[in-house]
Amino acid sequence: MLWLPATTAAMARHEIKKQAFGMTDSGEPVEIYTLTNANGMEARIMSYGGTVVSLKAPDRHGKLGDVVLGYETLDGYLKNSPYFGAIIGRYANRIGKARFSLDGKEYTLGKNNGENTLHGGFKGFDKVIWKGKEVKSKDGVGLSLSYVSKDGEEGFPGNLTVTVVYTLTKNNELKIEYNATTDKATVVNLTNHSYFNLAGEGSILQHELMIDASRFTPVDSGLIPTGELRSVKGTPMDFTQFAGIGTRIDQQDEQLTFGRGYDHNWVLNNVTGGLALAARVYEPGSGRVMEIYTTELGIQFYSGNFLDGSITGKNGQVYKQRYGLCLETQHFPDSPNKSDFPSTVLKRGQRYNSSTIYRFSVK
Ligand code: BGC
């Protein structure tokens, strides 16, 4: 028999482990699942919000580091979380004036962001308990999470049955597959709200970013799209070539003023229906690279502008403005009120499918 030191033996396996992670205020138990692959990469995901609590990826020297923001314990997530690592639904990003019409009927939602609805309302999918099940596939180890959102929940029509499968693959990818069905026409837009910091700490302004998009959806002062698809050419929104996130973020630009930095949806070029490269992030200090592949049409790049130092997260880190970045694959914000945008309507008998891969490597 081949002898391996204990640590190597543990690392040489793809495995998933379930542990208790505390209780919600109403006494519901929360579990955390630890997924590991043979390279030592590790993802910890909890049943509250389907949240990615930590994600450890190697740097150019092979040293593992946690590349997502969040808390060490459940408590922080329950008290005050700007959607750290969570599944977002039923509708990711904003719905203007907190209402929309569907099949001639008007639906009123919660105004949890000024006059608008953000990330599904007051109690979105980030604040519910998902039912977890361990799954194994040829790609790696996975966690299947399901949740039934009731007809009328947060104002949305239809009982929506949602499943999200997280897989940690052999190739250092975190794959997220979303699907949903409904018993009545509704709107659906699901994403994950991880805040990445490929250095593991500090500002993200030195990270370099490429987004494969020649257009973005400009917004008004409430961050609701105007309906226009505008060329990025000659603007600080142009990430068609790798650019440092900090190089243009403070330029005099109406769109950057509205977002206090980047907080916009980019219209992806390569929409094939299959998985296509949407964005690439490189952090020069650690050498870490993250590539995002998605079946979605859009990606929200949010540069953590609303982090303000009031949150102390993992390892006592104070999360100041722009200490984390989100790249949320999605359909466009406010699509339910924009007839020219690709539809987010899901009808009875149809299936919502969406996949995104975050692939980690080094340069
Ligand atoms: C939005 C931001 C919002 C943030 C909440 C992002 O997806 O685009 O405007 O502040 O989520 O943490």
Side-chain angles (χ1 to χ4, degrees), residues 81-84 88 92-94 113 118-119 191-193 195 222-223 258-259 262-265 300-307 326 328 330 333:
S81 174
Y83 306 94
F84 285 142
I88 306 296
N93 209 281
R94 292 175 177 81
N113 188 251
L118 176 66
H119 296 331
T191 195
N192 175 277
H193 209 291
Y195 286 69
L223 300 182
F258 288 158
Y262 296 105
D263 193 352
H264 297 80
N265 170 69
Q300 183 83 11
F301 165 41
Y302 168 56
S303 52
N305 313 307
F306 296 107
L307 296 173
C326 303
E328 303 151 62
Q330 61 180 11

Side-chain angles (χ1 to χ4, degrees), residues 257-278:
T257 305
F258 288 158
R260 297 203 207 171
Y262 296 105
D263 193 352
H264 297 80
N265 170 69
W266 271 256
V267 179
L268 294 171
N269 287 335
N270 204 358
V271 175
T272 61
L275 283 162
L277 181 75

Side-chain angles (χ1 to χ4, degrees), residues 8-29:
T8 320
M11 279 170 54
R13 266 178 285 140
H14 289 269
E15 57 177 29
I16 175 163
K17 200 174 69 194
K18 173 178 165 182
Q19 287 166 303
F21 198 54
M23 274 198 204
T24 64
D25 297 339
S26 55
E28 291 167 287

Side-chain angles (χ1 to χ4, degrees), residues 132-166:
K133 198 174 90 197
E134 301 166 17
V135 288
K136 283 216 165 113
S137 69
K138 57 173 181 9
D139 293 342
V141 284
L143 169 65
S144 167
L145 295 169
S146 39
Y147 175 68
V148 179
S149 169
K150 292 267 157 55
D151 186 10
E153 190 176 300
E154 292 296 318
F156 292 98
N159 289 296
L160 187 77
T161 305
V162 190
T163 304
V164 177
V165 181
Y166 284 102

